[in-house]
Amino acid sequence: AIRVISAAIAFVSQIILARLMGNFDYGVFVFVWVLAVILGNLSCLGFHTAVIRFLPQYRAGGLSADIHGLTWTARVFSMLSASIVGGIGIATIVMLGDKVQDYYVAPLIIGAFALPMIALGDVLDGTSRANNWPVLALSPTYLIRPTLILIFAALAALWFGGVDARLVLIGALVATYLTTIGQLVLVRRRLGRLFEQGKLKLHFGTWVVVALPIFLIEGFYFLLTNADVIVVGFYLPPERVAVYYAAAKIVALVHFVYFGVKAAAAPRFS
């Protein structure tokens, strides 16, 4: 049900945002935001899915210290990795100078600051799914965040008399931080109720060995379903990117069936 509602929100939001910004700025926005989501997801290096693999096993064995170690490591590792990627991205934009179109410079830098929270959100998603908390897993990313982006964009349009890609990306940045921090508070509270607090037990080597193959498999699939917008953005102007994105995402609405089955089944297999 969450994915069905999410698909409806995605469909409506692209219409509203395109109307508010116009084709050009909407094309800039979707290029930067899709790139940020891709890099944020890949920055987890598979840990967001490795949590789903190990946490049910540790829960069945009553290994609270291992669970706290796993969830803490996944959160910290993903945020540090995403921060490094974001820093490298900003440095690259600065070094390239005039080779980057001026209308992409500020939006790309804004998008880079969202990477740590996007990565952390993916880890919290995996942690919630591993504990069979589907509403807490999916609602922040697929319902609350896109709704907040729409609300912030509409408020900015009313306040400033119009919006561009930079304003909407700032709203997306704020929405991402609010959503992820709220999800973090709720996940930590639930974990604290279920599992005893104590020392963290780390098996970093074991987790990495499992996470990296997952990263390669899921990373390639994620790129296959999202990188087309980035490729179009490299070769065509923002107006064309906006049109392509709208058409591609209408077709991609059927993905919610696959994602919904995967989200429900993966923790049970683990």
Side-chain angles (χ1 to χ4, degrees), residues 52-112:
I52 302 173
R53 161 64 180 83
F54 286 105
L55 197 151
Q57 175 185 331
Y58 294 156
R59 184 179 61 230
L63 305 174
S64 296
D66 300 73
I67 290 173
H68 287 299
L70 172 65
T71 54
W72 180 85
T73 301
R75 292 195 298 263
V76 173
F77 180 86
S78 62
M79 289 187 65
L80 287 176
S81 176
S83 298
I84 292 171
V85 172
I88 293 173
I90 293 173
T92 302
I93 293 168
V94 173
M95 287 189 297
L96 289 175
D98 294 338
K99 293 181 180 179
V100 180
Q101 297 289 347
D102 57 351
Y103 48 77
Y104 277 131
V105 174
L108 284 170
I109 292 174
I110 295 169

Side-chain angles (χ1 to χ4, degrees), residues 112-209:
F113 282 101
L115 296 187
M117 288 298 105
I118 292 174
L120 177 59
D122 285 340
V123 170
L124 295 173
D125 179 322
T127 304
S128 300
R129 286 162 55 192
N131 284 288
N132 291 315
W133 303 331
V135 175
L136 183 56
L138 303 178
S139 294
T141 300
Y142 296 102
L143 297 183
I144 299 174
R145 187 172 74 190
T147 302
L148 285 178
I149 292 173
L150 272 180
I151 292 172
F152 291 153
L155 291 176
L158 290 173
W159 183 264
F160 296 105
V163 290
D164 58 13
R166 286 176 296 181
L167 277 176
V168 176
L169 280 166
I170 290 172
L173 179 66
V174 174
T176 301
Y177 272 78
L178 289 176
T179 303
T180 306
I181 292 172
Q183 187 179 17
L184 174 63
V185 171
L186 293 176
V187 168
R188 290 192 62 185
R189 184 179 299 170
R190 286 199 182 187
L191 288 175
R193 291 173 182 170
L194 286 178
F195 309 110
E196 293 181 7
Q197 296 290 341
K199 293 182 178 179
L200 304 179
K201 196 168 183 180
L202 306 180
H203 306 282
F204 189 75
T206 302
W207 298 333
V208 168
V209 168

Side-chain angles (χ1 to χ4, degrees), residues 29 42 58 64 103 107 136 191 220 224 232 240 244 248 257:
F29 168 76
L42 296 180
Y58 294 156
S64 296
Y103 48 77
L136 183 56
L191 288 175
F220 279 120
L224 284 173
V232 171
R240 298 288 186 87
Y244 177 84
V257 177

Side-chain angles (χ1 to χ4, degrees), residues 3-4 18 23 27 31 33 37 61 82 90 136 157 165 168 179 190 202-203 215-217 231 242 244 247 257:
R3 287 298 288 169
V4 172
N23 282 359
F31 174 81
W33 191 241
V37 170
I90 293 173
L136 183 56
V168 176
T179 303
R190 286 199 182 187
L202 306 180
H203 306 282
F215 162 71
L216 293 175
I217 296 169
V231 174
Y244 177 84
V257 177

